[in-house]
């Protein structure tokens, strides 16, 4: 999947084909086709590979986090901001988002990807929202996603804010915590 991921990062989703992956690996096209009978199955595997890499960076160690759910949440948000410095993940998300606008199979993958991210945020938010119903927790988590999605634009033209400005980073975390509290 690393080969497909590299192709996606360098050339975009439309370039991720069984033939291109086979060529990159130096193997026969049929070998790739055996494991991925359709282009969509190959795309799914590439997206799953990238998401597993992302999830490996933020293991779901929520049992130990229950002792300090606030720190767990704040660390997750700081890590989310750090992802905008990663020159592999930024193009991945940009390509998925762009190609999803014209391809329904990729749109489905994008939606599943964001649902997974939403669930990871909800896992971290739930312990901070004692007495808040599930619908409100989900709405607050989605609002946090919207807040942090704007970082992609900001980091493109003002990367130093996201990378180096601790005041800005803390403001983002404080805003997210205000959303969680319902302020």
């Amino acid at each position: 999947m690393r080969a497909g991921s590299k192709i996606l990062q360098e050339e975009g989703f439309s370039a991720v084909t069984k033939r291109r992956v086979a060529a990159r690996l130096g193997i026969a096209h049929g070998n790739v086709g055996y494991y991925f009978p359709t282009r969509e199955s190959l795309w799914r595997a590439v997206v799953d590979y990238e998401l597993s890499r992302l999830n490996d960076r933020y293991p779901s160690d929520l049992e130990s986090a229950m002792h300090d759910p606030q720190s767990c949440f704040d660390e997750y948000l700081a890590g989310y901001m750090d992802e905008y410095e990663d020159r592999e993940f930024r193009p991945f998300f940009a390509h998925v988002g762009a190609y999803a606008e014209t391809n329904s199979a990729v749109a489905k993958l994008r939606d599943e990807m964001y649902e997974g991210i939403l669930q990871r945020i909800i896992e971290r938010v739930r312990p901070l929202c004692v007495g808040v119903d599930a619908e409100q927790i989900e709405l607050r988590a989605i609002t946090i996603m919207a807040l942090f999605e704007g970082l992609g634009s900001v980091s493109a033209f003002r990367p130093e804010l996201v990378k180096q400005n601790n005041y800005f980073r803390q403001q983002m975390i404080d805003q997210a915590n205000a959303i969680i509290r319902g302020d």
Side-chain angles (χ1 to χ4, degrees):
M1 290 306 75
R2 189 175 308 140
S5 176
K6 283 292 190 191
I7 293 167
L8 182 138
Q9 292 166 14
E10 294 167 4
E11 303 175 50
F13 245 108
S14 62
V16 180
T17 65
K18 293 182 274 185
R19 288 190 191 284
R20 293 292 267 296
V21 170
R24 173 88 43 127
L25 294 172
I27 62 175
H29 167 261
N31 290 341
V32 176
Y34 177 79
Y35 294 100
F36 307 104
T38 65
R39 191 175 191 187
E40 286 79 13
S41 64
L42 177 60
W43 287 344
R44 171 169 291 289
V46 169
V47 168
D48 289 347
Y49 169 77
E50 286 296 329
L51 290 178
S52 72
R53 289 181 59 218
L54 181 64
N55 290 338
D56 287 348
R57 290 181 180 193
Y58 306 105
S60 188
D61 188 16
L62 294 176
E63 285 187 29
S64 64
M66 290 303 164
H67 300 293
D68 189 3
Q70 185 65 61
S71 291
C72 176
F73 181 63
D74 291 353
E75 287 173 24
Y76 183 76
L77 295 176
Y80 198 98
M81 285 186 275
D82 292 342
E83 289 307 316
Y84 287 96
E85 296 177 40
D86 189 312
R87 294 296 174 206
E88 290 183 11
F89 281 106
R90 283 180 61 188
F92 166 73
F93 282 101
H95 285 299
V96 170
Y99 206 56
E101 295 301 317
T102 60
N103 184 292
S104 61
V106 177
K108 182 178 178 190
L109 290 173
R110 176 208 52 208
D111 295 348
E112 290 172 9
M113 179 178 71
Y114 280 113
E115 280 295 331
I117 292 169
L118 174 62
Q119 291 311 311
R120 290 181 72 84
I121 293 171
I122 289 172
E123 286 175 353
R124 285 157 176 80
V125 166
R126 188 174 289 118
L128 300 172
C129 295
V130 177
V132 178
D133 66 56
E135 186 177 324
Q136 266 305 307
I137 291 172
E138 180 179 79
L139 184 59
R140 291 175 187 184
I142 289 170
T143 305
I144 289 167
M145 284 181 72
L147 173 69
F148 276 77
E149 279 299 303
L151 282 173
S153 299
V154 172
S155 68
F157 78 97
R158 294 273 174 96
E160 70 280 358
L161 277 176
V162 180
K163 291 179 187 177
Q164 301 161 350
N165 190 314
N166 289 331
Y167 177 76
F168 176 80
R169 291 172 64 89
Q170 190 59 52
Q171 286 293 105
M172 291 294 293
I173 291 171
D174 291 347
Q175 287 296 318
N177 280 300
I179 291 166
I180 295 307
R181 290 188 306 270
D183 294 353

